[in-house]
Amino acid sequence: MPEFLIQMLEKQYEEEIKNKILKGYNLKRKVTFRVNTLKSNSEEIEQVLNKLNFEYEKAPWSEDAFILKDAKESDIQELEIYKQGKIYLQSLSSILPPIILKPQEGADILDMAAAPGGKTTELAALTNNKAHITACEMNNIRIEKLKYNVEKQGASCVYIMQKDSRQIDDFFSFDQILLDAPCSGSGTLNFEDKNLEKFFTLKLVEKSTKAQLALLRKAIKILKKGQEMVYSTCSILSQENEEIVEKVMRENKLEIVPINFEGIEHLPILPTKIKGTVCVCPNELYEGFFIAKLKKI
């Protein structure tokens, strides 16, 4: 395990919480997916799973988020409901930001770092394809994956823009913004990966924080006054989370919108430095994940 990560966790969390995080890293996460309500519904998916003798349960905060008790992703990828785009393999933590944003029908919505498209297509499903969603991605390979998933999921309200979101013209404005920022992935680490120390580095954390700060500053510029956005990362380090939010809040007239939804009490929550934000602890069900909801005053 990278020594710098141990030091960061010890600085940020109490010993008991740090050990809980380390334990979570070593647990094998269950396969989870989201029902694509543009093409199906939870009742149809339940019938298929029951017929094929899959054991499952639902996330306590969503009828459309399924947890498989003993299955591999490859098992699900063989199913017709997967091939037809009726379900989307997605971590439970990743399903949360669009739900917390509460996308509205008729709204102009920006997804600033959209590929591979899980949250983009979820936004489309939550608005019944009746919003105007702009999905940004600058990487050539990743944008092809985004296009594929948007088409497969039937998210016809999505307009894909190949662009670095930091370079979006300031004359654009949006009613709602989702910024699931590129990050170090400190909430998703797997200690069985022998290459961990090669790709998870202090340099990666530092590079990520620079990009996150620039992206959030741009998001606030192009968010309409009085409107809300969600900032999220799959990191549990305050350098990439609260510290980024606090910097931008000092520069702008913003307020934290406290995150609350039915079933939130079932999440494995870590303490955060900003009241009203949520940081999820990695365990057998969830990736480590941070979410903040901001309103532009």
Side-chain angles (χ1 to χ4, degrees):
M1 182 177 178
E3 184 60 33
F4 80 90
L5 177 60
I6 294 280
Q7 292 172 359
M8 284 181 171
L9 293 177
E10 286 176 343
K11 184 178 178 182
Q12 185 175 336
Y13 298 106
E14 295 176 2
E15 183 74 11
E16 184 181 344
I17 295 172
K18 183 202 78 173
N19 291 334
K20 184 180 176 184
I21 293 167
L22 297 181
K23 181 182 177 184
Y25 282 146
N26 285 301
L27 295 173
K28 187 177 180 182
R29 260 183 292 281
K30 295 183 185 298
V31 173
T32 58
F33 66 80
R34 167 179 58 82
V35 178
N36 176 18
T37 54
L38 296 174
K39 288 191 170 185
S40 185
N41 54 62
S42 59
E43 290 79 14
E44 179 190 3
I45 301 306
E46 284 187 72
Q47 287 176 8
V48 172
L49 295 178
N50 290 335
K51 188 177 180 181
L52 296 172
N53 296 316
F54 279 98
E55 286 190 65
Y56 64 89
E57 59 182 316
K58 293 184 182 181
W61 38 265
S62 173
E63 272 291 304
D64 298 318
F66 281 66
I67 303 160
L68 297 173
K69 293 187 177 180
D70 187 23
K72 300 188 293 288
E73 284 195 359
S74 57
D75 297 331
I76 301 304
Q77 289 166 338
E78 292 298 315
L79 303 179
E80 283 303 309
I81 53 173
Y82 174 82
K83 294 176 181 177
Q84 294 169 7
K86 292 184 176 182
I87 62 173
Y88 188 93
L89 284 167
Q90 193 169 355
S91 76
L92 293 183
S93 298
S94 179
I95 296 171
L96 290 170
I99 292 173
I100 290 167
L101 182 64
K102 295 181 181 176
Q104 301 298 307
E105 292 185 8
D108 289 314
I109 303 171
L110 174 65
D111 186 350
M112 292 184 77
K119 298 179 188 68
T120 311
T121 53
E122 185 181 352
L123 290 170
L126 289 169
T127 57
N128 301 303
N129 257 344
K130 293 178 182 176
H132 311 287
I133 300 171
T134 301
C136 272
E137 177 55 50
M138 65 178 184
N139 182 281
N140 285 330
I141 296 172
R142 287 172 62 80
I143 202 166
E144 291 305 315
K145 187 69 174 174
L146 173 61
K147 288 176 181 176
Y148 172 81
N149 282 323
V150 164
E151 184 175 345
K152 182 179 178 181
Q153 301 288 300
S156 58
C157 67
V158 175
Y159 166 70
I160 296 173
M161 181 190 294
Q162 184 165 6
K163 196 174 186 69
D164 183 340
S165 290
R166 292 169 289 190
Q167 308 302 324
I168 293 175
D169 291 319
D170 289 345
F171 64 74
F172 281 102
S173 62
F174 295 90
D175 301 306
Q176 296 178 292
I177 296 176
L178 176 61
L179 171 53
D180 185 52
C183 70
S184 68
S186 69
T188 64
L189 300 180
N190 178 0
F191 290 163
E192 291 181 6
D193 188 340
K194 293 175 182 177
N195 294 315
L196 182 62
E197 287 197 58
K198 289 182 181 178
F199 70 82
F200 183 76
T201 62
L202 183 56
K203 187 176 180 180
L204 175 62
V205 175
E206 292 167 348
K207 181 183 176 183
S208 297
T209 57
K210 288 178 183 177
Q212 292 154 2
L213 190 55
L215 283 163
L216 186 52
R217 281 172 172 158
K218 173 60 71 171
I220 296 304
K221 267 190 177 181
I222 57 180
L223 179 67
K224 293 177 183 176
K225 287 182 180 178
Q227 300 301 317
E228 298 174 351
M229 69 163 290
V230 161
Y231 172 81
S232 62
T233 74
C234 54
S235 177
I236 56 172
L237 300 175
S238 60
Q239 291 94 326
E240 300 181 77
N241 299 331
E242 297 100 316
E243 290 178 25
I244 299 296
V245 172
E246 285 172 339
K247 279 181 184 176
V248 176
M249 288 190 74
R250 285 195 293 268
E251 300 166 356
N252 300 273
K253 291 183 178 179
L254 304 169
E255 67 180 20
I256 294 289
V257 179
I259 293 172
N260 197 16
F261 53 88
E262 190 175 342
I264 190 173
E265 67 276 8
H266 296 284
L267 295 180
I269 297 291
L270 292 171
T272 63
K273 296 176 182 176
I274 304 176
K275 188 177 180 183
T277 62
V278 167
C279 194
V280 180
C281 182
N283 67 10
E284 72 278 1
L285 293 180
Y286 293 88
E287 293 178 336
F289 222 87
F290 174 83
I291 310 168
K293 192 171 188 180
L294 300 165
K295 184 174 183 178
K296 187 173 180 179
I297 305 303

